[in-house]
Amino acid sequence: ILGAHRLEGALAYISPEQTGRMNRAVDWRSDLYSLGVTLFQLLTGRLPCEADSLGALMRAIARETPPNVCELRPELPAALGDVVALALQKHPATRYSSGEQMAEDLRDDQVAR
């Protein structure tokens, strides 16, 4: 969470707008991005953005598109890869607009297979 003058939380899980490298407000969609990072890690065993330094990590989060989880784990349903990819969109306006919408997609029969 971006506080008054400090950054809090596990940095690998912050959204691009929390890095300070984008001119975007932080809102509930930031939490959906962090959930996407968590799902990515649970499904692949690695983080979507990795780097050797804090600056490089912030740049990667703000600019680099992570691989689709299905590229790393081809046995996963493509629909699940789509859900995670949508949660990890760099721009908040292109992410899920609500947790309910994301949950509905996760309950979809194509994801469950």
Side-chain angles (χ1 to χ4, degrees), residues 15-107:
S15 64
E17 58 271 24
Q18 290 177 291
T19 65
R21 296 178 184 270
M22 301 178 80
N23 189 18
R24 304 232 187 279
V26 176
D27 61 23
W28 72 95
R29 294 171 294 190
S30 182
D31 293 334
L32 297 175
Y33 181 91
S34 298
L35 179 56
V37 173
T38 302
L39 290 172
F40 188 101
Q41 187 175 31
L42 286 169
L43 294 168
T44 67
R46 58 165 275 205
L47 292 166
C49 296
E50 296 176 329
D52 295 340
S53 69
L54 177 60
L57 178 61
M58 296 296 108
R59 280 190 298 281
I61 290 170
R63 297 187 183 127
E64 294 177 15
T65 301
N68 189 294
V69 295
C70 294
E71 291 175 28
L72 302 172
R73 299 269 315 274
E75 71 276 13
L76 294 174
L80 182 56
D82 294 342
V83 169
V84 175
L86 187 56
L88 292 176
Q89 290 294 304
K90 298 299 177 189
H91 297 285
T94 58
R95 281 184 215 136
Y96 281 103
S97 59
S98 71
E100 291 84 12
Q101 183 186 27
M102 187 176 181
E104 183 178 318
D105 283 355
L106 285 169
R107 282 190 297 268

